[in-house]
């Protein structure tokens, strides 16, 4: 009896593992084409997002803003063949500093809503056309 149950279980599992998956009966060819088009559009959009030349991440803690910059065509160190980059930092349309590193902290920002602009310059100080604007809200100081 045990052997019969084991054999039936194995046969049932083997027949359930077929490669042909039945299609839903209420799906039309037009719906399948729309799904295919949607997948293609999503793939193109995600490829554009990945290929963005300048990306910025920020994190606010107290009255400090932690900034990370990601550049495709520029580098902050002379280790690779890319051009060196400098990031000019503007807070509320006033230039505060030039940064030579990909990650940095903006400290002692007063309470309130502030616009931070980051502009990428090449190693000779010329604008590259890459810039980002971020709004941060400072609510507490530590």
């Amino acid at each position: 009896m045990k052997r019969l149950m084991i054999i039936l279980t194995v046969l049932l599992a083997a027949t359930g593992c077929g490669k042909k998956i039945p299609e839903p009966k209420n799906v039309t060819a037009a719906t399948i084409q729309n799904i295919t088009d949607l997948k293609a559009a999503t793939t193109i959009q995600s490829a554009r997002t990945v290929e963005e030349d300048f990306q910025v991440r920020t994190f606010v803690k107290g009255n400090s803003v932690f900034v990370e910059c990601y550049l495709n065509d520029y580098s902050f160190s002379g280790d690779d063949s890319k051009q060196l980059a400098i990031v000019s930092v503007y807070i509320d349309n006033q230039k505060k500093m030039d940064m030579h590193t990909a990650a940095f902290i903006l400290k002692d920002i007063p309470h309130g809503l502030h616009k931070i602009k980051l502009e990428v310059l090449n190693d000779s100080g010329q604008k590259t056309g890459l810039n980002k604007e971020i709004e941060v809200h400072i609510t507490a100081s530590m």
Side-chain angles (χ1 to χ4, degrees):
M1 185 68 173
K2 263 186 171 177
R3 287 184 187 191
L4 182 60
M5 292 299 282
I6 292 173
I7 292 172
L8 285 175
T9 304
V10 169
L11 286 175
L12 185 61
T15 58
C17 295
K19 292 184 179 181
K20 175 133 173 76
I21 299 172
E23 291 187 25
K25 293 179 182 177
N26 59 356
V27 176
T28 63
T31 305
I32 293 171
Q33 183 61 38
N34 290 341
I35 292 171
T36 306
D37 292 344
L38 180 62
K39 285 181 182 177
T42 304
T43 304
I44 291 169
Q45 181 61 34
S46 64
R48 286 185 190 144
T49 304
V50 171
E51 295 298 323
E52 192 172 343
D53 291 332
F54 182 30
Q55 298 177 28
V56 177
R57 284 182 161 175
T58 58
F59 176 72
V60 177
K61 184 175 181 182
N63 61 345
S64 296
V65 178
F66 298 80
V67 180
E68 290 179 315
C69 300
Y70 300 94
L71 294 165
N72 284 343
D73 299 329
Y74 294 89
S75 171
F76 292 98
S77 65
D79 295 342
D80 51 12
S81 62
K82 297 178 181 178
Q83 290 187 38
L84 286 175
I86 302 166
V87 176
S88 290
V89 180
Y90 298 83
I91 300 175
D92 298 328
N93 295 322
Q94 293 182 338
K95 186 172 182 177
K96 294 298 180 183
M97 64 190 81
D98 286 332
M99 300 303 299
H100 299 270
T101 59
F104 51 90
I105 301 171
L106 305 173
K107 296 181 180 182
D108 301 324
I109 298 177
H111 293 278
L113 188 64
H114 300 280
K115 184 173 73 170
I116 298 173
K117 180 180 177 184
L118 304 172
E119 187 173 61
V120 179
L121 309 174
N122 61 18
D123 56 346
S124 60
Q126 298 173 338
K127 293 181 181 182
T128 62
L130 300 173
N131 55 50
K132 291 284 182 177
E133 288 189 11
I134 302 151
E135 285 190 354
V136 294
H137 189 230
I138 307 296
T139 57
S141 61
M142 294 182 85

